[in-house]
Amino acid sequence: MTKKQKILIVDDSEMNRAILAEMLDEKYEIIEVEDGTEAVAALEKYGTELSLVLLDIVMPRMDGFGVLTVMNQRHWIDDIPVIMISAENASRQVEQAYDLGITDFISRPFDARVVHRRVINTILLYSKQKKLIDLVAEQVYEKEKQNTLMVDILSHIVEFRNGESGMHVVHIRVLTEMFLKHLVQMTDRYQISQPDISLISTASALHDIGKISIPDGILNKPGRLTPEEFDIMKTHSAIGADILKQLPFHQDSPHVKMAWEICRWHHERYDGRGYPDGLKGDEIPIAAQVVALADVYDALTSERVYKKAIPHEEAVKMIREGQCGAFNPLLLECLGQISDKIPERMNSGYSEGTDPGEVRELTEELLRREELTASERTLQLLEHERMKYNFFAAMSEEIQFEYTVLPSMVTLSSWGAEKVGLPETVMDPLHDKRIQQLLDEWSMQGLREAIHSATPDNPIIQYDCKACLGGESRWFRFICRATWSADEPPQYMGVIGKAMDIHEEREKIEHLKHEAAHDALTGLTNHKYAKSWIMERLQNRPESHYALAVLDMDHFKSVNDTYGHMFGDEVLVHSAGKLKRSVRGNDIVARIGGDEFLIFLECNKGLEATMDRIYRSLLGNYKNFPVSFSMGIARTETVGIEYETLFQAADHALYTVKRTGGGRYCFYDASMQEGQTTYSLIEEVQRPDQNS
């Protein structure tokens, strides 16, 4: 059974109350009071459980205007509609009551149909308005949460070099919010509204962006800084302000202005002994004062490369006793009053953000402003969100974009469009020549395949490829989220994402991979990576014919003993070069260690001739020193495709050659495993010193 909505009837006439109750009690739960003071008590008791108030104006003790005044003072009128009960000649009173917020009026004598219609219409109207406000408030709240998430991510990026986690700036935001909320309860000295608190708390995340210019050796030095190093460190506040001042857009934005004040002045001191400008007292904006206090507290209670964390109680005591600088006495009092709440909030990791109740109040305030139409409010909110989006996109230096299928269109962030030299909106991007100049056919195809591999359950993809910017080919990483409609089944709608320049990172990784995979002396692949690549090739194409050869330089010890190790290294480099030139591009050549080398190649026919050609190409002289090799070869069709077996077989063949004097090569057969030598498989090749 549906619960009846409550209606409060306020009238000093018992007869009037009885008539109205009789008209309405079938559909509504009726509460009756006989004057204004009882009405206020009922409003306090039931609050928003009341769906409507029917209010007489002329009553003893407190009249209807008194009730309306109280309802305005306590904002009950925002949530509870009021219909005035009036006499036929009460037009002046009705006009005054409208000014105080009534929704409608009914006249005596009562007409049941009129009363029913106006009661129903008023309740429905307020119900729809509440739903609208709740919907808008929910959207604003969700948007605020997303903005907070973006700030947290940006904060982590900014703080990463500092040896501090992104939690430092999160702590600053939490503390700033706590201090400001308590400060406005303590005093009206600073005119700070709830939107101001949100603005300052968000902007506080950028207080140390200037540290990106400080050298790592100073920024992360584990010990005390020298006076010269400290002077360099102190420049970060002015540099951070300059970074914001040089933004090419939105210099008049409250977010940018507030972040600029905080960046520049959060190291000023209340006694005038701070930097960079030596401001004193309330010459320092209250936002910068609060962030300074939050910064000092978190620095004390957090572990750094140069110090251990100090316990909460000791940190508060040190700050309040003036051991950590000079602060506004009001802020020190504020710190003392809320100090017991700080550890719990710090441990939670994140601020409470914008309270849903506060969001609702802000939403209602926006909706009540008569100077704004609904479309103007929407445009202002959209412009505000666009401003924040562009600001964070520029700060993160990422190319952010959105692609829609219908219409086929790419929308770029302002910073991203300028970076790639495109307009912010590109229609039919898949056939646009400017896009094709950025991404070649293979990169574009790979990106499309990666995006189309996403599903509603796994919508996020990552793809690395090269893009041509300003005539230079650079590596970029695309991180995208595909979007689908709410239909059943869902229809693919497009993608949102960002492209990050990872060229230097990729080049470093490739260089490190190359260094890890190659022998430092000869530049050949080392044994470890050669083994992994050989195993991969054997696994991918096991049906093909492969051969693996192990080579050992003859008499190399005598080279080192006679001519020295430097000459020996020259011989190895010379031989490695000849070996590399003797094979094809897809063959694998590696230095196993010392004077031993490895060759792996695919050869379905003519293997004997190929190996003979490779072997003969290695023979000769280097600076009058005769170079010769012994070589053992194993084929997959003889011993199988297991790498260890193949390598051991080639090694057995090499051992057979070495036992018979070296300077030759031979193919492995099963008799070698038994310690026998099959001389029929040994190709006789004269050593260089036998040539005459």
Side-chain angles (χ1 to χ4, degrees), residues 387-403:
M387 176 194 70
K388 291 197 289 187
Y389 163 75
N390 283 331
F391 173 73
F392 287 121
M395 289 299 297
S396 62
E397 295 191 351
E398 296 169 347
I399 302 167
Q400 299 182 3
F401 62 90
E402 178 179 6
Y403 168 70

Side-chain angles (χ1 to χ4, degrees), residues 362-655:
L362 291 172
T363 306
E364 291 174 347
E365 182 180 343
L366 284 172
L367 295 175
R368 285 198 301 271
R369 291 182 180 175
E370 296 178 354
E371 69 272 17
L372 293 178
T373 65
S375 60
E376 287 172 336
R377 285 195 301 272
T378 302
L379 289 173
Q380 285 193 4
L381 286 171
L382 288 173
E383 173 60 21
H384 183 66
E385 292 305 318
R386 188 182 73 85
M387 176 194 70
K388 291 197 289 187
Y389 163 75
N390 283 331
F391 173 73
F392 287 121
M395 289 299 297
S396 62
E397 295 191 351
E398 296 169 347
I399 302 167
Q400 299 182 3
F401 62 90
E402 178 179 6
Y403 168 70
T404 56
V405 176
L406 293 173
S408 180
M409 177 176 70
V410 163
T411 305
L412 294 159
S413 62
S414 300
W415 188 90
E418 183 179 352
K419 177 73 174 177
V420 299
L422 291 174
E424 292 186 26
T425 301
V426 179
M427 303 302 298
D428 194 18
L430 299 180
H431 301 95
D432 191 285
K433 290 184 178 179
R434 295 167 298 182
I435 300 289
Q436 293 169 358
Q437 290 174 353
L438 290 173
L439 295 174
D440 62 29
E441 180 182 352
W442 294 107
S443 296
M444 179 67 78
Q445 180 63 26
L447 179 58
R448 292 175 64 181
E449 289 176 358
I451 291 172
H452 290 156
S453 70
T455 65
D457 293 330
N458 296 288
I460 298 175
I461 62 100
Q462 178 176 306
Y463 179 72
D464 293 356
C465 67
K466 282 192 171 183
C468 185
L469 262 67
E472 181 185 5
S473 181
R474 297 184 65 84
W475 280 99
F476 279 81
R477 173 164 296 154
F478 289 82
I479 300 178
C480 308
R481 188 192 193 285
T483 58
W484 279 269
S485 69
D487 302 328
E488 195 58 47
Q491 301 297 311
Y492 170 68
M493 297 173 61
V495 66
I496 57 175
K498 63 182 181 181
M500 301 179 295
D501 189 327
I502 59 167
H503 191 73
E504 281 73 20
E505 173 190 340
R506 183 72 179 242
E507 290 292 301
K508 287 180 182 178
I509 291 173
E510 293 299 323
H511 176 72
L512 290 173
K513 284 183 177 179
H514 184 273
E515 290 290 312
H518 289 77
D519 173 58
L521 176 64
T522 63
L524 298 180
T525 305
N526 62 37
H527 190 198
K528 176 182 177 181
Y529 280 86
K531 176 181 177 180
S532 65
W533 292 336
I534 293 170
M535 292 174 67
E536 181 180 350
R537 194 172 296 185
L538 290 170
Q539 184 177 3
N540 290 341
R541 295 185 59 191
E543 72 284 355
S544 190
H545 297 292
Y546 301 96
L548 187 148
V550 179
L551 298 87
D552 180 81
M553 187 177 292
D554 296 324
H555 315 298
F556 184 70
K557 185 177 183 302
S558 66
V559 176
N560 288 329
D561 293 343
T562 305
Y563 301 98
H565 290 283
M566 291 184 65
F567 183 79
D569 287 347
E570 290 181 22
V571 173
L572 289 174
V573 172
H574 167 76
S575 299
K578 294 182 73 174
L579 184 58
K580 193 170 184 178
R581 291 190 295 272
S582 70
V583 299
R584 300 165 299 182
N586 62 336
D587 296 335
I588 297 173
V589 180
R591 182 186 180 194
I592 301 175
D595 60 338
E596 292 189 343
F597 298 89
L598 173 151
I599 304 173
F600 178 82
L601 70 166
E602 180 179 0
C603 195
N604 290 315
K605 60 181 180 179
L607 176 63
E608 289 82 0
T610 298
M611 298 309 300
D612 184 71
R613 175 186 57 78
I614 292 173
Y615 183 81
R616 290 180 182 278
S617 70
L618 300 176
L619 305 180
N621 294 311
Y622 177 74
K623 294 183 178 180
N624 297 321
F625 175 77
V627 178
S628 70
F629 281 87
S630 298
M631 180 168 71
I633 310 159
R635 318 178 213 220
T636 52
E637 60 262 41
T638 302
V639 299
I641 60 170
E642 293 295 326
Y643 175 80
E644 297 296 344
T645 305
L646 192 62
F647 183 85
Q648 289 176 10
D651 198 44
H652 274 298
L654 173 64
Y655 177 69

Side-chain angles (χ1 to χ4, degrees), residues 108-284:
R108 293 188 295 267
F110 302 124
D111 182 310
R113 289 174 299 175
V114 172
V115 170
H116 269 284
R117 189 71 267 163
R118 292 192 175 179
V119 165
I120 292 171
N121 287 348
T122 299
I123 291 175
L124 284 175
L125 175 65
Y126 259 66
S127 176
K128 289 180 179 179
Q129 182 175 321
K130 283 182 179 179
K131 287 181 179 179
L132 173 62
I133 290 173
D134 288 342
L135 177 61
V136 175
E138 181 180 353
Q139 292 173 345
V140 173
Y141 182 54
E142 287 301 316
K143 182 65 69 176
E144 197 66 30
K145 287 202 301 185
Q146 293 301 316
N147 290 336
T148 300
L149 175 61
M150 183 175 288
V151 171
D152 291 342
I153 294 171
L154 176 62
S155 301
H156 181 76
I157 294 170
V158 171
E159 292 295 328
F160 185 76
R161 281 187 66 245
N162 197 14
E164 302 168 1
S165 70
M167 292 307 296
H168 171 62
V169 285
V170 174
H171 288 166
I172 298 302
R173 178 160 52 79
V174 173
L175 290 165
T176 299
E177 180 184 80
M178 290 180 72
F179 290 151
L180 288 172
K181 284 185 175 181
H182 194 72
L183 185 64
V184 297
Q185 295 174 7
M186 289 172 54
T187 178
D188 58 1
R189 176 172 165 182
Y190 305 101
Q191 299 301 311
I192 302 173
S193 65
Q194 176 56 43
D196 291 334
I197 293 174
S198 177
L199 175 66
I200 295 169
S201 301
T202 302
S204 71
L206 303 176
H207 70 288
D208 270 343
I209 59 171
K211 286 186 177 178
I212 61 176
S213 68
I214 305 299
D216 286 342
I218 296 176
L219 195 63
N220 296 313
K221 184 176 179 180
R224 180 182 292 273
L225 299 180
T226 66
E228 294 77 14
E229 290 171 336
F230 187 57
D231 286 340
I232 294 173
M233 177 67 81
K234 289 195 295 184
T235 63
H236 81 274
S237 55
I239 290 172
D242 288 342
I243 290 173
L244 294 171
K245 198 69 174 178
Q246 292 170 17
L247 286 176
F249 47 78
H250 298 305
Q251 284 297 322
D252 294 330
S253 157
H255 283 84
V256 176
K257 288 181 176 179
M258 183 60 68
W260 184 90
E261 288 185 1
I262 292 172
C263 274
R264 186 167 186 88
W265 292 318
H266 73 281
H267 281 293
E268 300 288 354
R269 286 170 50 124
Y270 204 68
D271 60 5
R273 296 170 59 193
Y275 62 87
D277 299 318
L279 301 184
K280 184 177 182 180
D282 281 336
E283 291 176 352
I284 309 167

